[in-house]
């Protein structure tokens, strides 16, 4: 797979996760209805959904940033030193990607709950 194709796939992943939010937002509007929204379990469900939506936003941001990095990698000559790749990575806005110990940390969690960055 070419790096340009990888960048397009990352952009598409970001687009698809954003599209999911349309239905979720509609569900939130129903749950937030004045009568239904008074139920404590409904309020708790709303909070869980909002937290998940924040996680989606981070995933979307991460995909866009990785797509940008991949496009920059694709422009580099094969002889580019590792320091140039490191500089591109360091320029990304997500701290998780800048700190190797934190990169992909959600995949290493063992508490059974999803890590939402």
């Amino acid at each position: 797979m070419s790096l340009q194709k990888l960048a397009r796939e990352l952009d598409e992943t970001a687009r698809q996760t954003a599209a999911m939010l349309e239905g979720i937002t509609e569900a939130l509007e129903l749950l937030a209805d004045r009568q239904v929204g008074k139920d404590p379990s409904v309020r708790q469900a709303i909070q869980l959904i909002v937290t998940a939506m924040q996680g989606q936003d981070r995933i979307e941001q991460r995909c866009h940033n990785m797509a940008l990095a991949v496009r920059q990698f694709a422009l580099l000559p094969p002889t580019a030193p590792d320091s140039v790749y490191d500089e591109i990575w360091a320029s990304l806005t997500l701290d998780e990607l800048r700190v190797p110990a934190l990169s992909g940390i959600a995949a290493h969690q063992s508490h059974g709950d999803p890590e939402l960055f």
Side-chain angles (χ1 to χ4, degrees):
M1 177 185 302
S2 74
L3 290 176
Q4 293 298 334
K5 183 173 178 168
L6 175 59
R8 285 190 302 272
E9 290 299 322
L10 286 165
D11 285 336
E12 178 60 14
T13 300
R15 186 200 65 75
Q16 288 178 7
T17 64
M20 288 183 338
L21 291 183
E22 291 175 18
I24 294 170
T25 299
E26 289 177 27
L28 272 176
E29 288 172 359
L30 290 173
L31 288 173
D33 177 77
R34 291 190 188 263
Q35 289 190 7
V36 176
K38 291 180 182 179
D39 183 331
S41 61
V42 171
R43 284 197 309 264
Q44 182 181 8
I46 289 171
Q47 185 57 47
L48 290 170
I49 292 169
V50 168
T51 300
M53 290 172 76
Q54 291 168 339
Q56 178 282 329
D57 184 60
R58 295 298 302 269
I59 291 167
E60 184 179 354
Q61 179 184 16
R62 213 178 167 125
C63 286
H64 284 305
N65 277 283
M66 287 188 289
L68 174 63
V70 167
R71 285 186 176 90
Q72 291 173 343
F73 293 159
L75 297 174
L76 296 175
T79 57
D82 287 344
S83 62
V84 175
Y85 290 91
D86 292 341
E87 186 178 323
I88 291 170
W89 255 153
S91 71
L92 297 180
T93 58
L94 295 178
D95 290 337
E96 295 89 353
L97 296 178
R98 284 194 211 152
V99 181
L102 295 178
S103 184
I105 197 165
H108 305 295
Q109 299 293 318
S110 62
H111 51 67
D113 292 328
E115 177 65 33
L116 298 175
F117 308 101

